[in-house]
Amino acid sequence: MGSNVLEERMLEDTLTTFRDGNQGGVSPAQGVMLIDGWLQALQGDPNLGQLQGHLNELRTELQAAQPNSQRIRLLMEGLADQAQQTAEAPNAEGTWTGGLESLSKILRNFGSKL
């Protein structure tokens, strides 16, 4: 991760959305839009199948008539773990690493409020 311009833009957009929405929260519709952007950015990378699976599960849950907040929290924790692992990987470098670490913290914090 981090070599794709779309991935970098999605990381910036995601961080901005969560930071800007921190006071009022991020709506399910905003979450779905972010997930759609991530799925497009990550498309074609065979190493990210598990991540894409988690994103699709979260997207489905956010679109449910009665979203399950506990399930959303667990999925967000899983995504936070994956972001942290990627940031700490031996080949991680530069500002991308710091952005992923920030994303991991934001996802954990947001999920804990559900």
Side-chain angles (χ1 to χ4, degrees):
M1 289 183 70
S3 60
N4 181 323
V5 173
L6 281 176
E7 290 172 3
E8 291 176 23
R9 191 181 82 209
M10 283 309 307
L11 180 58
E12 291 172 21
D13 288 352
T14 303
L15 291 172
T16 299
T17 299
F18 277 94
R19 286 180 183 143
D20 291 349
N22 199 23
Q23 302 303 324
V26 176
S27 72
Q30 288 173 302
V32 169
M33 286 176 46
L34 286 171
I35 291 168
D36 287 345
W38 274 108
L39 289 171
Q40 181 180 1
L42 300 174
Q43 185 175 353
D45 190 330
N47 300 317
L48 300 174
Q50 183 180 11
L51 177 60
Q52 291 168 329
H54 279 113
L55 288 169
N56 278 316
E57 286 181 58
L58 181 56
R59 184 180 193 281
T60 298
E61 194 61 52
L62 290 173
Q63 291 180 315
Q66 295 289 340
N68 180 330
S69 60
Q70 184 175 1
R71 179 76 180 134
I72 292 170
R73 180 174 38 252
L74 290 173
L75 289 167
M76 290 186 74
E77 287 174 8
L79 291 169
D81 290 344
Q82 289 178 326
Q84 184 174 356
Q85 288 170 2
T86 302
E88 294 172 353
N91 60 345
E93 61 186 29
T95 57
W96 179 254
T97 300
L100 286 174
E101 289 172 350
S102 293
L103 179 61
S104 177
K105 290 176 187 173
I106 287 170
L107 290 173
R108 285 185 210 290
N109 184 42
F110 191 80
S112 72
K113 295 178 181 177
L114 296 176

